[in-house]
mmCIF file of all heavy atoms in Angstrom:
data_model
loop_
_atom_site.group_PDB
_atom_site.id
_atom_site.type_symbol
_atom_site.label_atom_id
_atom_site.label_comp_id
_atom_site.label_asym_id
_atom_site.label_seq_id
_atom_site.Cartn_x
_atom_site.Cartn_y
_atom_site.Cartn_z
ATOM 1 N N THR I 10 141.481 67.744 86.107
ATOM 2 C CA THR I 10 141.272 66.390 85.666
ATOM 3 C C THR I 10 140.360 66.432 84.438
ATOM 4 O O THR I 10 139.664 67.355 84.174
ATOM 5 C CB THR I 10 140.570 65.559 86.843
ATOM 6 O OG1 THR I 10 140.373 64.210 86.374
ATOM 7 C CG2 THR I 10 139.227 66.154 87.143
ATOM 8 N N THR I 11 140.447 65.281 83.715
ATOM 9 C CA THR I 11 139.564 65.138 82.508
ATOM 10 C C THR I 11 138.098 64.862 83.019
ATOM 11 O O THR I 11 137.876 64.677 84.221
ATOM 12 C CB THR I 11 140.002 64.003 81.612
ATOM 13 O OG1 THR I 11 139.784 62.751 82.316
ATOM 14 C CG2 THR I 11 141.470 64.062 81.288
ATOM 15 N N GLU I 12 137.246 64.794 82.102
ATOM 16 C CA GLU I 12 135.863 64.419 82.448
ATOM 17 C C GLU I 12 135.735 63.031 83.015
ATOM 18 O O GLU I 12 134.754 62.695 83.697
ATOM 19 C CB GLU I 12 134.933 64.604 81.279
ATOM 20 C CG GLU I 12 134.958 63.486 80.189
ATOM 21 C CD GLU I 12 136.114 63.672 79.226
ATOM 22 O OE1 GLU I 12 137.025 64.554 79.427
ATOM 23 O OE2 GLU I 12 136.192 62.928 78.211
ATOM 24 N N LYS I 13 136.793 62.202 82.865
ATOM 25 C CA LYS I 13 136.787 60.837 83.347
ATOM 26 C C LYS I 13 137.453 60.781 84.780
ATOM 27 O O LYS I 13 137.475 59.673 85.328
ATOM 28 C CB LYS I 13 137.508 59.954 82.425
ATOM 29 C CG LYS I 13 136.878 59.764 81.051
ATOM 30 C CD LYS I 13 137.652 58.802 80.168
ATOM 31 C CE LYS I 13 137.017 58.597 78.820
ATOM 32 N NZ LYS I 13 137.784 57.619 77.996
ATOM 33 N N GLY I 14 137.950 61.902 85.243
ATOM 34 C CA GLY I 14 138.639 61.887 86.528
ATOM 35 C C GLY I 14 140.065 61.333 86.355
ATOM 36 O O GLY I 14 140.676 60.897 87.319
ATOM 37 N N THR I 15 140.594 61.403 85.155
ATOM 38 C CA THR I 15 141.882 60.885 84.882
ATOM 39 C C THR I 15 142.762 61.983 84.298
ATOM 40 O O THR I 15 142.320 63.123 84.083
ATOM 41 C CB THR I 15 141.784 59.782 83.790
ATOM 42 O OG1 THR I 15 141.241 60.296 82.570
ATOM 43 C CG2 THR I 15 140.962 58.623 84.342
ATOM 44 N N SER I 16 144.064 61.689 84.151
ATOM 45 C CA SER I 16 144.945 62.714 83.617
ATOM 46 C C SER I 16 145.102 62.579 82.056
ATOM 47 O O SER I 16 145.463 63.523 81.392
ATOM 48 C CB SER I 16 146.408 62.606 84.209
ATOM 49 O OG SER I 16 146.898 61.322 83.967
ATOM 50 N N THR I 17 144.684 61.416 81.526
ATOM 51 C CA THR I 17 144.755 61.198 80.088
ATOM 52 C C THR I 17 143.450 60.477 79.666
ATOM 53 O O THR I 17 142.719 60.021 80.433
ATOM 54 C CB THR I 17 145.990 60.339 79.677
ATOM 55 O OG1 THR I 17 145.862 59.089 80.319
ATOM 56 C CG2 THR I 17 147.280 61.030 80.062
ATOM 57 N N GLY I 18 143.274 60.471 78.277
ATOM 58 C CA GLY I 18 142.181 59.671 77.754
ATOM 59 C C GLY I 18 140.857 60.376 77.654
ATOM 60 O O GLY I 18 139.890 59.749 77.192
ATOM 61 N N GLY I 19 140.770 61.631 78.042
ATOM 62 C CA GLY I 19 139.534 62.347 77.851
ATOM 63 C C GLY I 19 139.366 62.951 76.551
ATOM 64 O O GLY I 19 140.231 62.945 75.694
ATOM 65 N N LYS I 20 138.196 63.529 76.317
ATOM 66 C CA LYS I 20 137.901 64.199 75.044
ATOM 67 C C LYS I 20 138.569 65.567 75.068
ATOM 68 O O LYS I 20 138.711 66.143 76.142
ATOM 69 C CB LYS I 20 136.385 64.348 74.791
ATOM 70 C CG LYS I 20 135.633 63.062 74.540
ATOM 71 C CD LYS I 20 134.196 63.286 74.201
ATOM 72 C CE LYS I 20 133.445 62.032 73.894
ATOM 73 N NZ LYS I 20 132.000 62.292 73.642
ATOM 74 N N ALA I 21 138.909 66.106 73.904
ATOM 75 C CA ALA I 21 139.498 67.425 73.860
ATOM 76 C C ALA I 21 138.534 68.430 74.253
ATOM 77 O O ALA I 21 137.325 68.361 73.969
ATOM 78 C CB ALA I 21 140.023 67.688 72.387
ATOM 79 N N GLY I 22 138.939 69.490 74.913
ATOM 80 C CA GLY I 22 138.103 70.583 75.339
ATOM 81 C C GLY I 22 137.467 70.289 76.710
ATOM 82 O O GLY I 22 137.577 69.160 77.239
ATOM 83 N N ASP I 23 136.810 71.282 77.297
ATOM 84 C CA ASP I 23 136.242 71.140 78.597
ATOM 85 C C ASP I 23 134.870 70.529 78.492
ATOM 86 O O ASP I 23 133.892 71.122 78.064
ATOM 87 C CB ASP I 23 136.121 72.542 79.213
ATOM 88 C CG ASP I 23 135.735 72.565 80.701
ATOM 89 O OD1 ASP I 23 135.501 71.403 81.242
ATOM 90 O OD2 ASP I 23 135.771 73.605 81.333
ATOM 91 N N GLN I 24 134.747 69.252 78.997
ATOM 92 C CA GLN I 24 133.495 68.474 78.819
ATOM 93 C C GLN I 24 132.628 68.734 80.048
ATOM 94 O O GLN I 24 131.393 68.396 79.944
ATOM 95 C CB GLN I 24 133.840 67.064 78.737
ATOM 96 C CG GLN I 24 134.806 66.694 77.586
ATOM 97 C CD GLN I 24 134.188 67.108 76.220
ATOM 98 O OE1 GLN I 24 133.041 66.819 75.921
ATOM 99 N NE2 GLN I 24 135.069 67.853 75.470
ATOM 100 N N THR I 25 133.130 69.242 81.139
ATOM 101 C CA THR I 25 132.303 69.343 82.357
ATOM 102 C C THR I 25 132.156 70.763 82.836
ATOM 103 O O THR I 25 131.325 71.031 83.759
ATOM 104 C CB THR I 25 132.972 68.585 83.497
ATOM 105 O OG1 THR I 25 134.205 69.193 83.788
ATOM 106 C CG2 THR I 25 133.174 67.092 83.071
ATOM 107 N N GLY I 26 132.860 71.738 82.267
ATOM 108 C CA GLY I 26 132.860 73.121 82.810
ATOM 109 C C GLY I 26 133.771 73.287 83.984
ATOM 110 O O GLY I 26 133.784 74.372 84.596
ATOM 111 N N ARG I 27 134.394 72.175 84.408
ATOM 112 C CA ARG I 27 135.249 72.246 85.632
ATOM 113 C C ARG I 27 136.649 71.680 85.418
ATOM 114 O O ARG I 27 137.441 71.576 86.329
ATOM 115 C CB ARG I 27 134.553 71.450 86.707
ATOM 116 C CG ARG I 27 133.226 72.035 87.175
ATOM 117 C CD ARG I 27 132.437 71.146 88.081
ATOM 118 N NE ARG I 27 133.210 70.838 89.306
ATOM 119 C CZ ARG I 27 133.203 71.607 90.358
ATOM 120 N NH1 ARG I 27 132.463 72.739 90.428
ATOM 121 N NH2 ARG I 27 133.864 71.275 91.493
ATOM 122 N N GLU I 28 136.964 71.324 84.145
ATOM 123 C CA GLU I 28 138.314 70.728 83.930
ATOM 124 C C GLU I 28 139.388 71.797 84.195
ATOM 125 O O GLU I 28 140.432 71.489 84.682
ATOM 126 C CB GLU I 28 138.398 70.134 82.530
ATOM 127 C CG GLU I 28 137.523 68.918 82.285
ATOM 128 C CD GLU I 28 137.683 68.291 80.944
ATOM 129 O OE1 GLU I 28 138.839 68.343 80.391
ATOM 130 O OE2 GLU I 28 136.683 67.841 80.372
ATOM 131 N N GLY I 29 139.100 72.962 83.757
ATOM 132 C CA GLY I 29 139.948 74.208 84.082
ATOM 133 C C GLY I 29 139.034 75.239 84.603
ATOM 134 O O GLY I 29 137.937 75.538 83.996
ATOM 135 N N ARG I 30 139.343 75.820 85.698
ATOM 136 C CA ARG I 30 138.462 76.815 86.361
ATOM 137 C C ARG I 30 139.216 77.773 87.320
ATOM 138 O O ARG I 30 140.365 77.527 87.633
ATOM 139 C CB ARG I 30 137.369 76.042 87.099
ATOM 140 C CG ARG I 30 137.905 75.063 88.186
ATOM 141 C CD ARG I 30 136.825 74.368 88.957
ATOM 142 N NE ARG I 30 137.296 73.274 89.738
ATOM 143 C CZ ARG I 30 136.678 72.817 90.868
ATOM 144 N NH1 ARG I 30 135.620 73.460 91.291
ATOM 145 N NH2 ARG I 30 137.201 71.796 91.491
ATOM 146 N N ILE I 31 138.483 78.778 87.689
ATOM 147 C CA ILE I 31 138.947 79.671 88.751
ATOM 148 C C ILE I 31 138.221 79.213 90.000
ATOM 149 O O ILE I 31 136.948 79.206 90.005
ATOM 150 C CB ILE I 31 138.578 81.167 88.428
ATOM 151 C CG1 ILE I 31 139.176 81.561 87.084
ATOM 152 C CG2 ILE I 31 139.075 82.046 89.596
ATOM 153 C CD1 ILE I 31 140.704 81.560 87.044
ATOM 154 N N ARG I 32 138.982 78.979 91.016
ATOM 155 C CA ARG I 32 138.330 78.400 92.180
ATOM 156 C C ARG I 32 138.936 78.992 93.482
ATOM 157 O O ARG I 32 140.005 79.687 93.425
ATOM 158 C CB ARG I 32 138.465 76.884 92.213
ATOM 159 C CG ARG I 32 139.918 76.372 92.297
ATOM 160 C CD ARG I 32 139.970 74.855 92.555
ATOM 161 N NE ARG I 32 139.361 74.520 93.897
ATOM 162 C CZ ARG I 32 139.104 73.338 94.167
ATOM 163 N NH1 ARG I 32 139.334 72.240 93.406
ATOM 164 N NH2 ARG I 32 138.607 73.044 95.468
ATOM 165 N N ASP I 33 138.352 78.691 94.651
ATOM 166 C CA ASP I 33 138.920 79.046 95.926
ATOM 167 C C ASP I 33 140.124 78.184 96.250
ATOM 168 O O ASP I 33 140.214 77.033 95.730
ATOM 169 C CB ASP I 33 137.869 78.887 97.020
ATOM 170 C CG ASP I 33 136.744 79.923 96.963
ATOM 171 O OD1 ASP I 33 137.025 81.032 96.415
ATOM 172 O OD2 ASP I 33 135.637 79.609 97.434
ATOM 173 N N LEU I 34 140.981 78.649 97.060
ATOM 174 C CA LEU I 34 142.064 77.808 97.543
ATOM 175 C C LEU I 34 141.498 76.736 98.453
ATOM 176 O O LEU I 34 140.536 77.014 99.186
ATOM 177 C CB LEU I 34 143.067 78.699 98.326
ATOM 178 C CG LEU I 34 144.322 78.024 98.920
ATOM 179 C CD1 LEU I 34 145.141 77.392 97.798
ATOM 180 C CD2 LEU I 34 145.177 79.032 99.694
ATOM 181 N N TYR I 35 142.047 75.541 98.389
ATOM 182 C CA TYR I 35 141.510 74.437 99.110
ATOM 183 C C TYR I 35 142.570 73.680 99.763
ATOM 184 O O TYR I 35 143.784 73.638 99.318
ATOM 185 C CB TYR I 35 140.690 73.553 98.157
ATOM 186 C CG TYR I 35 141.505 72.885 97.121
ATOM 187 C CD1 TYR I 35 141.959 71.587 97.259
ATOM 188 C CD2 TYR I 35 141.844 73.520 95.940
ATOM 189 C CE1 TYR I 35 142.713 70.964 96.308
ATOM 190 C CE2 TYR I 35 142.576 72.908 94.881
ATOM 191 C CZ TYR I 35 143.023 71.588 95.125
ATOM 192 O OH TYR I 35 143.781 71.041 94.151
ATOM 193 N N PRO I 36 142.311 72.929 100.886
ATOM 194 C CA PRO I 36 143.333 72.080 101.516
ATOM 195 C C PRO I 36 143.477 70.839 100.771
ATOM 196 O O PRO I 36 142.622 70.244 100.133
ATOM 197 C CB PRO I 36 142.720 71.819 102.898
ATOM 198 C CG PRO I 36 141.196 71.842 102.650
ATOM 199 C CD PRO I 36 140.965 72.899 101.620
ATOM 200 N N ARG I 37 144.745 70.324 100.784
ATOM 201 C CA ARG I 37 145.077 69.060 100.134
ATOM 202 C C ARG I 37 145.731 68.153 101.135
ATOM 203 O O ARG I 37 146.474 68.554 101.990
ATOM 204 C CB ARG I 37 146.089 69.266 98.982
ATOM 205 C CG ARG I 37 145.601 70.234 97.911
ATOM 206 C CD ARG I 37 146.708 70.481 96.848
ATOM 207 N NE ARG I 37 146.955 69.324 96.006
ATOM 208 C CZ ARG I 37 148.088 68.773 95.843
ATOM 209 N NH1 ARG I 37 149.143 69.156 96.541
ATOM 210 N NH2 ARG I 37 148.218 67.738 95.010
ATOM 211 N N SER I 38 145.451 66.831 100.978
ATOM 212 C CA SER I 38 146.052 65.873 101.880
ATOM 213 C C SER I 38 147.572 65.858 101.755
ATOM 214 O O SER I 38 148.283 65.612 102.706
ATOM 215 C CB SER I 38 145.478 64.458 101.635
ATOM 216 O OG SER I 38 145.775 64.068 100.300
ATOM 217 N N ARG I 39 148.086 66.195 100.526
ATOM 218 C CA ARG I 39 149.514 66.211 100.323
ATOM 219 C C ARG I 39 150.072 67.610 100.576
ATOM 220 O O ARG I 39 151.302 67.818 100.495
ATOM 221 C CB ARG I 39 149.786 65.762 98.880
ATOM 222 C CG ARG I 39 149.288 64.351 98.596
ATOM 223 C CD ARG I 39 149.454 64.020 97.147
ATOM 224 N NE ARG I 39 150.830 63.773 96.774
ATOM 225 C CZ ARG I 39 151.255 63.532 95.572
ATOM 226 N NH1 ARG I 39 150.354 63.430 94.550
ATOM 227 N NH2 ARG I 39 152.540 63.296 95.215
#
C-alpha cells in the first residue's frame, strides 16, 4: 500500500519504509 493506505495517489518512493518489504507469511481473510 501507499503511505496513505491506498493503491494510488501516494508520493513516489517508499515514504514509510513498509510500502515494499520482506515480511513473514501472514493469514488473510480472503
